[in-house]
Amino acid sequence: MVSASAPGKIILFGEHAVVYGRPAIAAPVSQLRATATVTPGTAGVQLVAPDLDRVQWLDAAPEDDALAAALRRLQQALALDALPPMVVTVRSAIPIASGLGSGAAITAAIIRAVTAYLQPAFPLTPAWVSALTYEVEKLYHGTPSGIDNTVVAFEQPVYFVRRQPRNQIEPFGVARPLRLLVADTGRRSQTRDVVLDVRRQWQADGARFEALFDGCGQLAAAARAAIEQGDVARVGQLMDANHALLVRMSVSSPELDRLVGAARAAGALGAKLSGAGRGGNMLALVSAEGETAVGQALRAAGATHVLTTVLGHNQLS
Ligand code: PMV
């Protein structure tokens, strides 16, 4: 038996604009993980997702099934004529369709576990896992920027710019820990649909959207500097500014705006939606003293889950 896992992720700055080549910042959420376990099978390849109540034979899975796609792409990448009989079981603590990168994490976990099972000596580098995960992400997203697969495969905060022929991926230092509450609106939202809608709006009003994307990119660059300098208050202001731009792109929602407003009123240093928007999760930057009050305010405003993640807590600086 072989198991492997991958974390969820949050986007701190620059979602949507990152699809159009502007910089963005994302970080792993290590306590939320997807895990894949491989055991020998008797006939064929079986995909089991107990959380989804799903058992599927690979041979019978449709072309656009993302779990099956992960195995099919992996088979190609390893240049195998066939996969041996095995059972691949996938579990995930990352809520789906909520901006936390569950799709990328599940794919990366499958790629890691199945590769380790089939070819224990294969060098499973983060770059290789990321590239293969990206291929499968295209099924979930249509035009993914590549930031999700990068963060889940490298499992560290990154400053990311989508580029040809090679993305710019820069891990960076966190001078003072950032304490973030991740609060779920409880409303699911499909990244693919929201990304498509932004594309339609961009096609209809290019100048306006290019300016909004530029604004997001500038905020991401400024945020990286603030994070590297340990200017936590400034990071909060930049989060507020990023949320305002996302509202103008029409990717917020009444639920997200309510949580953002409640967090700020309860003393958060900054708050914004995270990920594709129109549902899913938001982030509130808090001090250690302010955490309880902001968490309570988020729940009172309708958050279905609130978790804390600390960026940079394991760095000495
Ligand atoms: O909703 P999520 O967690 O999949 O994040 C999507 C981030 C976008 O910038 C909206 C899309 C992308 O591919 O980067």
PDB file of all heavy atoms in Angstrom, residues 16-56:
ATOM      1  N   HIS A  16      -7.898  35.841 -10.591  1.00  0.00           N
ATOM      2  CA  HIS A  16      -8.432  36.277 -11.888  1.00  0.00           C
ATOM      3  C   HIS A  16      -7.395  37.059 -12.700  1.00  0.00           C
ATOM      4  O   HIS A  16      -7.100  36.660 -13.820  1.00  0.00           O
ATOM      5  CB  HIS A  16      -9.728  37.094 -11.739  1.00  0.00           C
ATOM      6  CG  HIS A  16     -10.881  36.227 -11.326  1.00  0.00           C
ATOM      7  ND1 HIS A  16     -11.418  35.280 -12.159  1.00  0.00           N
ATOM      8  CD2 HIS A  16     -11.565  36.127 -10.143  1.00  0.00           C
ATOM      9  CE1 HIS A  16     -12.391  34.642 -11.523  1.00  0.00           C
ATOM     10  NE2 HIS A  16     -12.494  35.131 -10.300  1.00  0.00           N
ATOM     11  N   ALA A  17      -6.827  38.130 -12.141  1.00  0.00           N
ATOM     12  CA  ALA A  17      -5.827  38.875 -12.909  1.00  0.00           C
ATOM     13  C   ALA A  17      -4.643  37.962 -13.265  1.00  0.00           C
ATOM     14  O   ALA A  17      -3.993  38.149 -14.300  1.00  0.00           O
ATOM     15  CB  ALA A  17      -5.344  40.080 -12.095  1.00  0.00           C
ATOM     16  N   VAL A  18      -4.397  36.951 -12.424  1.00  0.00           N
ATOM     17  CA  VAL A  18      -3.278  36.031 -12.667  1.00  0.00           C
ATOM     18  C   VAL A  18      -3.470  35.245 -13.964  1.00  0.00           C
ATOM     19  O   VAL A  18      -2.503  34.877 -14.633  1.00  0.00           O
ATOM     20  CB  VAL A  18      -3.086  35.083 -11.445  1.00  0.00           C
ATOM     21  CG1 VAL A  18      -4.257  34.120 -11.280  1.00  0.00           C
ATOM     22  CG2 VAL A  18      -1.774  34.308 -11.537  1.00  0.00           C
ATOM     23  N   VAL A  19      -4.728  35.032 -14.341  1.00  0.00           N
ATOM     24  CA  VAL A  19      -5.009  34.321 -15.597  1.00  0.00           C
ATOM     25  C   VAL A  19      -4.508  35.159 -16.779  1.00  0.00           C
ATOM     26  O   VAL A  19      -4.154  34.648 -17.830  1.00  0.00           O
ATOM     27  CB  VAL A  19      -6.530  34.036 -15.723  1.00  0.00           C
ATOM     28  CG1 VAL A  19      -6.878  33.410 -17.062  1.00  0.00           C
ATOM     29  CG2 VAL A  19      -7.009  33.152 -14.571  1.00  0.00           C
ATOM     30  N   TYR A  20      -4.466  36.494 -16.591  1.00  0.00           N
ATOM     31  CA  TYR A  20      -4.079  37.427 -17.646  1.00  0.00           C
ATOM     32  C   TYR A  20      -2.648  37.947 -17.455  1.00  0.00           C
ATOM     33  O   TYR A  20      -2.325  39.064 -17.831  1.00  0.00           O
ATOM     34  CB  TYR A  20      -5.088  38.591 -17.695  1.00  0.00           C
ATOM     35  CG  TYR A  20      -6.479  38.073 -18.018  1.00  0.00           C
ATOM     36  CD1 TYR A  20      -7.292  37.536 -17.005  1.00  0.00           C
ATOM     37  CD2 TYR A  20      -6.954  38.054 -19.320  1.00  0.00           C
ATOM     38  CE1 TYR A  20      -8.543  37.017 -17.291  1.00  0.00           C
ATOM     39  CE2 TYR A  20      -8.211  37.539 -19.616  1.00  0.00           C
ATOM     40  CZ  TYR A  20      -8.998  37.015 -18.597  1.00  0.00           C
ATOM     41  OH  TYR A  20     -10.232  36.494 -18.892  1.00  0.00           O
ATOM     42  N   GLY A  21      -1.830  37.141 -16.798  1.00  0.00           N
ATOM     43  CA  GLY A  21      -0.403  37.442 -16.747  1.00  0.00           C
ATOM     44  C   GLY A  21       0.044  38.397 -15.651  1.00  0.00           C
ATOM     45  O   GLY A  21       1.204  38.797 -15.623  1.00  0.00           O
ATOM     46  N   ARG A  22      -0.873  38.777 -14.752  1.00  0.00           N
ATOM     47  CA  ARG A  22      -0.451  39.656 -13.651  1.00  0.00           C
ATOM     48  C   ARG A  22       0.006  38.799 -12.472  1.00  0.00           C
ATOM     49  O   ARG A  22      -0.458  37.678 -12.300  1.00  0.00           O
ATOM     50  CB  ARG A  22      -1.605  40.540 -13.191  1.00  0.00           C
ATOM     51  CG  ARG A  22      -1.763  41.840 -13.953  1.00  0.00           C
ATOM     52  CD  ARG A  22      -1.788  41.686 -15.429  1.00  0.00           C
ATOM     53  NE  ARG A  22      -2.292  42.872 -16.099  1.00  0.00           N
ATOM     54  CZ  ARG A  22      -2.915  42.847 -17.273  1.00  0.00           C
ATOM     55  NH1 ARG A  22      -3.083  41.707 -17.921  1.00  0.00           N
ATOM     56  NH2 ARG A  22      -3.337  43.965 -17.826  1.00  0.00           N
ATOM     57  N   PRO A  23       0.911  39.356 -11.626  1.00  0.00           N
ATOM     58  CA  PRO A  23       1.401  38.570 -10.492  1.00  0.00           C
ATOM     59  C   PRO A  23       0.321  38.276  -9.459  1.00  0.00           C
ATOM     60  O   PRO A  23      -0.637  39.045  -9.315  1.00  0.00           O
ATOM     61  CB  PRO A  23       2.489  39.454  -9.874  1.00  0.00           C
ATOM     62  CG  PRO A  23       2.353  40.789 -10.482  1.00  0.00           C
ATOM     63  CD  PRO A  23       1.544  40.679 -11.732  1.00  0.00           C
ATOM     64  N   ALA A  24       0.492  37.159  -8.779  1.00  0.00           N
ATOM     65  CA  ALA A  24      -0.433  36.792  -7.703  1.00  0.00           C
ATOM     66  C   ALA A  24       0.356  36.102  -6.602  1.00  0.00           C
ATOM     67  O   ALA A  24       1.484  35.646  -6.818  1.00  0.00           O
ATOM     68  CB  ALA A  24      -1.513  35.858  -8.238  1.00  0.00           C
ATOM     69  N   ILE A  25      -0.240  36.058  -5.415  1.00  0.00           N
ATOM     70  CA  ILE A  25       0.401  35.412  -4.262  1.00  0.00           C
ATOM     71  C   ILE A  25      -0.556  34.357  -3.714  1.00  0.00           C
ATOM     72  O   ILE A  25      -1.731  34.638  -3.480  1.00  0.00           O
ATOM     73  CB  ILE A  25       0.709  36.452  -3.166  1.00  0.00           C
ATOM     74  CG1 ILE A  25       1.774  37.440  -3.672  1.00  0.00           C
ATOM     75  CG2 ILE A  25       1.178  35.765  -1.881  1.00  0.00           C
ATOM     76  CD1 ILE A  25       2.095  38.552  -2.682  1.00  0.00           C
ATOM     77  N   ALA A  26      -0.024  33.162  -3.519  1.00  0.00           N
ATOM     78  CA  ALA A  26      -0.845  32.093  -2.942  1.00  0.00           C
ATOM     79  C   ALA A  26      -0.013  31.322  -1.925  1.00  0.00           C
ATOM     80  O   ALA A  26       1.225  31.375  -1.940  1.00  0.00           O
ATOM     81  CB  ALA A  26      -1.344  31.156  -4.038  1.00  0.00           C
ATOM     82  N   ALA A  27      -0.704  30.620  -1.053  1.00  0.00           N
ATOM     83  CA  ALA A  27      -0.005  29.867  -0.006  1.00  0.00           C
ATOM     84  C   ALA A  27      -0.755  28.571   0.278  1.00  0.00           C
ATOM     85  O   ALA A  27      -1.979  28.503   0.116  1.00  0.00           O
ATOM     86  CB  ALA A  27       0.065  30.714   1.272  1.00  0.00           C
ATOM     87  N   PRO A  28      -0.025  27.534   0.705  1.00  0.00           N
ATOM     88  CA  PRO A  28      -0.695  26.278   1.039  1.00  0.00           C
ATOM     89  C   PRO A  28      -1.440  26.389   2.364  1.00  0.00           C
ATOM     90  O   PRO A  28      -1.093  27.220   3.208  1.00  0.00           O
ATOM     91  CB  PRO A  28       0.461  25.277   1.169  1.00  0.00           C
ATOM     92  CG  PRO A  28       1.654  26.111   1.486  1.00  0.00           C
ATOM     93  CD  PRO A  28       1.432  27.466   0.888  1.00  0.00           C
ATOM     94  N   VAL A  29      -2.466  25.563   2.524  1.00  0.00           N
ATOM     95  CA  VAL A  29      -3.132  25.413   3.830  1.00  0.00           C
ATOM     96  C   VAL A  29      -2.869  23.965   4.241  1.00  0.00           C
ATOM     97  O   VAL A  29      -3.582  23.047   3.833  1.00  0.00           O
ATOM     98  CB  VAL A  29      -4.645  25.686   3.733  1.00  0.00           C
ATOM     99  CG1 VAL A  29      -5.311  25.547   5.102  1.00  0.00           C
ATOM    100  CG2 VAL A  29      -4.897  27.076   3.169  1.00  0.00           C
ATOM    101  N   SER A  30      -1.821  23.784   5.022  1.00  0.00           N
ATOM    102  CA  SER A  30      -1.295  22.431   5.231  1.00  0.00           C
ATOM    103  C   SER A  30      -2.220  21.538   6.041  1.00  0.00           C
ATOM    104  O   SER A  30      -2.169  20.315   5.924  1.00  0.00           O
ATOM    105  CB  SER A  30       0.086  22.507   5.861  1.00  0.00           C
ATOM    106  OG  SER A  30       0.963  23.099   4.929  1.00  0.00           O
ATOM    107  N   GLN A  31      -3.097  22.147   6.867  1.00  0.00           N
ATOM    108  CA  GLN A  31      -3.967  21.282   7.684  1.00  0.00           C
ATOM    109  C   GLN A  31      -5.158  20.733   6.897  1.00  0.00           C
ATOM    110  O   GLN A  31      -5.838  19.841   7.373  1.00  0.00           O
ATOM    111  CB  GLN A  31      -4.419  21.976   8.977  1.00  0.00           C
ATOM    112  CG  GLN A  31      -5.391  23.117   8.823  1.00  0.00           C
ATOM    113  CD  GLN A  31      -4.689  24.459   8.837  1.00  0.00           C
ATOM    114  OE1 GLN A  31      -3.691  24.676   8.163  1.00  0.00           O
ATOM    115  NE2 GLN A  31      -5.212  25.390   9.616  1.00  0.00           N
ATOM    116  N   LEU A  32      -5.418  21.304   5.725  1.00  0.00           N
ATOM    117  CA  LEU A  32      -6.483  20.763   4.855  1.00  0.00           C
ATOM    118  C   LEU A  32      -5.806  19.989   3.749  1.00  0.00           C
ATOM    119  O   LEU A  32      -5.105  20.559   2.920  1.00  0.00           O
ATOM    120  CB  LEU A  32      -7.288  21.896   4.225  1.00  0.00           C
ATOM    121  CG  LEU A  32      -8.245  22.686   5.077  1.00  0.00           C
ATOM    122  CD1 LEU A  32      -8.964  23.715   4.203  1.00  0.00           C
ATOM    123  CD2 LEU A  32      -9.267  21.789   5.758  1.00  0.00           C
ATOM    124  N   ARG A  33      -6.001  18.662   3.709  1.00  0.00           N
ATOM    125  CA  ARG A  33      -5.246  17.872   2.739  1.00  0.00           C
ATOM    126  C   ARG A  33      -6.143  16.911   1.973  1.00  0.00           C
ATOM    127  O   ARG A  33      -7.183  16.472   2.477  1.00  0.00           O
ATOM    128  CB  ARG A  33      -4.153  17.060   3.442  1.00  0.00           C
ATOM    129  CG  ARG A  33      -3.214  17.892   4.272  1.00  0.00           C
ATOM    130  CD  ARG A  33      -1.985  17.096   4.674  1.00  0.00           C
ATOM    131  NE  ARG A  33      -1.035  16.945   3.594  1.00  0.00           N
ATOM    132  CZ  ARG A  33      -0.106  17.852   3.293  1.00  0.00           C
ATOM    133  NH1 ARG A  33       0.017  18.962   3.980  1.00  0.00           N
ATOM    134  NH2 ARG A  33       0.731  17.632   2.288  1.00  0.00           N
ATOM    135  N   ALA A  34      -5.680  16.577   0.780  1.00  0.00           N
ATOM    136  CA  ALA A  34      -6.257  15.472   0.011  1.00  0.00           C
ATOM    137  C   ALA A  34      -5.248  14.334   0.065  1.00  0.00           C
ATOM    138  O   ALA A  34      -4.040  14.567  -0.004  1.00  0.00           O
ATOM    139  CB  ALA A  34      -6.495  15.894  -1.429  1.00  0.00           C
ATOM    140  N   THR A  35      -5.756  13.110   0.211  1.00  0.00           N
ATOM    141  CA  THR A  35      -4.867  11.949   0.313  1.00  0.00           C
ATOM    142  C   THR A  35      -5.304  10.894  -0.692  1.00  0.00           C
ATOM    143  O   THR A  35      -6.503  10.636  -0.860  1.00  0.00           O
ATOM    144  CB  THR A  35      -4.962  11.343   1.735  1.00  0.00           C
ATOM    145  OG1 THR A  35      -4.666  12.381   2.666  1.00  0.00           O
ATOM    146  CG2 THR A  35      -3.959  10.212   1.933  1.00  0.00           C
ATOM    147  N   ALA A  36      -4.332  10.274  -1.343  1.00  0.00           N
ATOM    148  CA  ALA A  36      -4.628   9.147  -2.237  1.00  0.00           C
ATOM    149  C   ALA A  36      -3.878   7.927  -1.727  1.00  0.00           C
ATOM    150  O   ALA A  36      -2.719   8.029  -1.311  1.00  0.00           O
ATOM    151  CB  ALA A  36      -4.200   9.469  -3.664  1.00  0.00           C
ATOM    152  N   THR A  37      -4.553   6.775  -1.739  1.00  0.00           N
ATOM    153  CA  THR A  37      -3.948   5.529  -1.282  1.00  0.00           C
ATOM    154  C   THR A  37      -4.098   4.493  -2.388  1.00  0.00           C
ATOM    155  O   THR A  37      -5.186   4.361  -2.969  1.00  0.00           O
ATOM    156  CB  THR A  37      -4.667   5.038  -0.005  1.00  0.00           C
ATOM    157  OG1 THR A  37      -4.575   6.083   0.967  1.00  0.00           O
ATOM    158  CG2 THR A  37      -4.018   3.782   0.557  1.00  0.00           C
ATOM    159  N   VAL A  38      -3.025   3.792  -2.675  1.00  0.00           N
ATOM    160  CA  VAL A  38      -3.062   2.780  -3.736  1.00  0.00           C
ATOM    161  C   VAL A  38      -2.828   1.403  -3.127  1.00  0.00           C
ATOM    162  O   VAL A  38      -1.862   1.209  -2.369  1.00  0.00           O
ATOM    163  CB  VAL A  38      -1.972   3.044  -4.795  1.00  0.00           C
ATOM    164  CG1 VAL A  38      -2.181   2.122  -6.003  1.00  0.00           C
ATOM    165  CG2 VAL A  38      -1.990   4.489  -5.247  1.00  0.00           C
ATOM    166  N   THR A  39      -3.709   0.459  -3.460  1.00  0.00           N
ATOM    167  CA  THR A  39      -3.537  -0.933  -3.024  1.00  0.00           C
ATOM    168  C   THR A  39      -3.656  -1.825  -4.256  1.00  0.00           C
ATOM    169  O   THR A  39      -4.284  -1.434  -5.249  1.00  0.00           O
ATOM    170  CB  THR A  39      -4.603  -1.345  -1.980  1.00  0.00           C
ATOM    171  OG1 THR A  39      -5.884  -0.998  -2.500  1.00  0.00           O
ATOM    172  CG2 THR A  39      -4.417  -0.638  -0.647  1.00  0.00           C
ATOM    173  N   PRO A  40      -3.065  -3.013  -4.205  1.00  0.00           N
ATOM    174  CA  PRO A  40      -3.157  -3.907  -5.365  1.00  0.00           C
ATOM    175  C   PRO A  40      -4.609  -4.283  -5.641  1.00  0.00           C
ATOM    176  O   PRO A  40      -5.405  -4.416  -4.703  1.00  0.00           O
ATOM    177  CB  PRO A  40      -2.364  -5.146  -4.930  1.00  0.00           C
ATOM    178  CG  PRO A  40      -1.527  -4.697  -3.777  1.00  0.00           C
ATOM    179  CD  PRO A  40      -2.269  -3.588  -3.113  1.00  0.00           C
ATOM    180  N   GLY A  41      -4.961  -4.434  -6.901  1.00  0.00           N
ATOM    181  CA  GLY A  41      -6.318  -4.846  -7.271  1.00  0.00           C
ATOM    182  C   GLY A  41      -6.293  -6.236  -7.873  1.00  0.00           C
ATOM    183  O   GLY A  41      -5.221  -6.845  -7.985  1.00  0.00           O
ATOM    184  N   THR A  42      -7.467  -6.720  -8.260  1.00  0.00           N
ATOM    185  CA  THR A  42      -7.522  -8.053  -8.858  1.00  0.00           C
ATOM    186  C   THR A  42      -7.754  -7.967 -10.362  1.00  0.00           C
ATOM    187  O   THR A  42      -7.229  -8.764 -11.131  1.00  0.00           O
ATOM    188  CB  THR A  42      -8.637  -8.894  -8.212  1.00  0.00           C
ATOM    189  OG1 THR A  42      -9.801  -8.092  -8.126  1.00  0.00           O
ATOM    190  CG2 THR A  42      -8.225  -9.352  -6.822  1.00  0.00           C
ATOM    191  N   ALA A  43      -8.538  -6.994 -10.775  1.00  0.00           N
ATOM    192  CA  ALA A  43      -8.771  -6.823 -12.213  1.00  0.00           C
ATOM    193  C   ALA A  43      -9.058  -5.351 -12.466  1.00  0.00           C
ATOM    194  O   ALA A  43      -9.884  -4.765 -11.789  1.00  0.00           O
ATOM    195  CB  ALA A  43      -9.968  -7.656 -12.656  1.00  0.00           C
ATOM    196  N   GLY A  44      -8.379  -4.764 -13.404  1.00  0.00           N
ATOM    197  CA  GLY A  44      -8.647  -3.377 -13.776  1.00  0.00           C
ATOM    198  C   GLY A  44      -8.229  -2.364 -12.712  1.00  0.00           C
ATOM    199  O   GLY A  44      -7.727  -2.714 -11.643  1.00  0.00           O
ATOM    200  N   VAL A  45      -8.458  -1.093 -13.053  1.00  0.00           N
ATOM    201  CA  VAL A  45      -8.112  -0.003 -12.135  1.00  0.00           C
ATOM    202  C   VAL A  45      -9.413   0.590 -11.609  1.00  0.00           C
ATOM    203  O   VAL A  45     -10.280   0.991 -12.386  1.00  0.00           O
ATOM    204  CB  VAL A  45      -7.295   1.092 -12.857  1.00  0.00           C
ATOM    205  CG1 VAL A  45      -6.996   2.243 -11.912  1.00  0.00           C
ATOM    206  CG2 VAL A  45      -6.010   0.505 -13.421  1.00  0.00           C
ATOM    207  N   GLN A  46      -9.517   0.616 -10.281  1.00  0.00           N
ATOM    208  CA  GLN A  46     -10.738   1.115  -9.667  1.00  0.00           C
ATOM    209  C   GLN A  46     -10.436   2.414  -8.928  1.00  0.00           C
ATOM    210  O   GLN A  46      -9.435   2.515  -8.229  1.00  0.00           O
ATOM    211  CB  GLN A  46     -11.249   0.073  -8.680  1.00  0.00           C
ATOM    212  CG  GLN A  46     -12.728   0.096  -8.529  1.00  0.00           C
ATOM    213  CD  GLN A  46     -13.225  -1.060  -7.682  1.00  0.00           C
ATOM    214  OE1 GLN A  46     -12.480  -1.617  -6.875  1.00  0.00           O
ATOM    215  NE2 GLN A  46     -14.475  -1.408  -7.845  1.00  0.00           N
ATOM    216  N   LEU A  47     -11.314   3.399  -9.111  1.00  0.00           N
ATOM    217  CA  LEU A  47     -11.177   4.686  -8.412  1.00  0.00           C
ATOM    218  C   LEU A  47     -12.267   4.772  -7.357  1.00  0.00           C
ATOM    219  O   LEU A  47     -13.449   4.661  -7.675  1.00  0.00           O
ATOM    220  CB  LEU A  47     -11.375   5.825  -9.405  1.00  0.00           C
ATOM    221  CG  LEU A  47     -10.149   6.202 -10.221  1.00  0.00           C
ATOM    222  CD1 LEU A  47     -10.564   6.931 -11.483  1.00  0.00           C
ATOM    223  CD2 LEU A  47      -9.225   7.065  -9.375  1.00  0.00           C
ATOM    224  N   VAL A  48     -11.866   4.967  -6.115  1.00  0.00           N
ATOM    225  CA  VAL A  48     -12.840   4.991  -5.025  1.00  0.00           C
ATOM    226  C   VAL A  48     -12.752   6.347  -4.324  1.00  0.00           C
ATOM    227  O   VAL A  48     -11.672   6.769  -3.914  1.00  0.00           O
ATOM    228  CB  VAL A  48     -12.543   3.857  -4.011  1.00  0.00           C
ATOM    229  CG1 VAL A  48     -13.576   3.851  -2.898  1.00  0.00           C
ATOM    230  CG2 VAL A  48     -12.510   2.508  -4.717  1.00  0.00           C
ATOM    231  N   ALA A  49     -13.881   7.029  -4.225  1.00  0.00           N
ATOM    232  CA  ALA A  49     -13.929   8.307  -3.497  1.00  0.00           C
ATOM    233  C   ALA A  49     -15.022   8.194  -2.439  1.00  0.00           C
ATOM    234  O   ALA A  49     -16.189   8.515  -2.717  1.00  0.00           O
ATOM    235  CB  ALA A  49     -14.206   9.448  -4.470  1.00  0.00           C
ATOM    236  N   PRO A  50     -14.679   7.690  -1.239  1.00  0.00           N
ATOM    237  CA  PRO A  50     -15.713   7.443  -0.223  1.00  0.00           C
ATOM    238  C   PRO A  50     -16.496   8.708   0.136  1.00  0.00           C
ATOM    239  O   PRO A  50     -17.708   8.644   0.346  1.00  0.00           O
ATOM    240  CB  PRO A  50     -14.911   6.956   0.993  1.00  0.00           C
ATOM    241  CG  PRO A  50     -13.569   6.570   0.465  1.00  0.00           C
ATOM    242  CD  PRO A  50     -13.339   7.366  -0.765  1.00  0.00           C
ATOM    243  N   ASP A  51     -15.829   9.878   0.148  1.00  0.00           N
ATOM    244  CA  ASP A  51     -16.534  11.124   0.504  1.00  0.00           C
ATOM    245  C   ASP A  51     -17.644  11.431  -0.495  1.00  0.00           C
ATOM    246  O   ASP A  51     -18.648  12.058  -0.161  1.00  0.00           O
ATOM    247  CB  ASP A  51     -15.583  12.331   0.506  1.00  0.00           C
ATOM    248  CG  ASP A  51     -14.342  12.079   1.346  1.00  0.00           C
ATOM    249  OD1 ASP A  51     -14.428  11.256   2.264  1.00  0.00           O
ATOM    250  OD2 ASP A  51     -13.298  12.714   1.081  1.00  0.00           O
ATOM    251  N   LEU A  52     -17.413  11.041  -1.735  1.00  0.00           N
ATOM    252  CA  LEU A  52     -18.398  11.337  -2.784  1.00  0.00           C
ATOM    253  C   LEU A  52     -19.285  10.129  -3.055  1.00  0.00           C
ATOM    254  O   LEU A  52     -20.100  10.150  -3.992  1.00  0.00           O
ATOM    255  CB  LEU A  52     -17.687  11.721  -4.092  1.00  0.00           C
ATOM    256  CG  LEU A  52     -16.705  12.883  -4.041  1.00  0.00           C
ATOM    257  CD1 LEU A  52     -16.009  13.068  -5.380  1.00  0.00           C
ATOM    258  CD2 LEU A  52     -17.435  14.165  -3.659  1.00  0.00           C
ATOM    259  N   ASP A  53     -19.093   9.062  -2.259  1.00  0.00           N
ATOM    260  CA  ASP A  53     -19.876   7.841  -2.464  1.00  0.00           C
ATOM    261  C   ASP A  53     -19.681   7.299  -3.868  1.00  0.00           C
ATOM    262  O   ASP A  53     -20.630   6.911  -4.534  1.00  0.00           O
ATOM    263  CB  ASP A  53     -21.381   8.153  -2.280  1.00  0.00           C
ATOM    264  CG  ASP A  53     -21.926   7.364  -1.112  1.00  0.00           C
ATOM    265  OD1 ASP A  53     -21.230   6.433  -0.672  1.00  0.00           O
ATOM    266  OD2 ASP A  53     -23.033   7.688  -0.637  1.00  0.00           O
ATOM    267  N   ARG A  54     -18.457   7.296  -4.316  1.00  0.00           N
ATOM    268  CA  ARG A  54     -18.211   6.985  -5.720  1.00  0.00           C
ATOM    269  C   ARG A  54     -17.234   5.847  -5.891  1.00  0.00           C
ATOM    270  O   ARG A  54     -16.166   5.850  -5.294  1.00  0.00           O
ATOM    271  CB  ARG A  54     -17.624   8.221  -6.388  1.00  0.00           C
ATOM    272  CG  ARG A  54     -18.300   8.600  -7.646  1.00  0.00           C
ATOM    273  CD  ARG A  54     -17.488   9.636  -8.369  1.00  0.00           C
ATOM    274  NE  ARG A  54     -16.551   8.979  -9.247  1.00  0.00           N
ATOM    275  CZ  ARG A  54     -15.731   9.622 -10.066  1.00  0.00           C
ATOM    276  NH1 ARG A  54     -15.700  10.925 -10.075  1.00  0.00           N
ATOM    277  NH2 ARG A  54     -14.934   8.956 -10.855  1.00  0.00           N
ATOM    278  N   VAL A  55     -17.595   4.869  -6.706  1.00  0.00           N
ATOM    279  CA  VAL A  55     -16.672   3.814  -7.110  1.00  0.00           C
ATOM    280  C   VAL A  55     -16.748   3.754  -8.630  1.00  0.00           C
ATOM    281  O   VAL A  55     -17.841   3.674  -9.200  1.00  0.00           O
ATOM    282  CB  VAL A  55     -17.087   2.446  -6.520  1.00  0.00           C
ATOM    283  CG1 VAL A  55     -16.121   1.364  -6.979  1.00  0.00           C
ATOM    284  CG2 VAL A  55     -17.140   2.514  -5.004  1.00  0.00           C
ATOM    285  N   GLN A  56     -15.616   3.834  -9.268  1.00  0.00           N
ATOM    286  CA  GLN A  56     -15.617   3.956 -10.729  1.00  0.00           C
ATOM    287  C   GLN A  56     -14.488   3.118 -11.319  1.00  0.00           C
ATOM    288  O   GLN A  56     -13.359   3.164 -10.821  1.00  0.00           O
ATOM    289  CB  GLN A  56     -15.388   5.445 -11.057  1.00  0.00           C
ATOM    290  CG  GLN A  56     -15.070   5.767 -12.476  1.00  0.00           C
ATOM    291  CD  GLN A  56     -16.325   6.153 -13.240  1.00  0.00           C
ATOM    292  OE1 GLN A  56     -16.964   7.132 -12.923  1.00  0.00           O
ATOM    293  NE2 GLN A  56     -16.662   5.350 -14.232  1.00  0.00           N
TER     294      GLN A  56
END
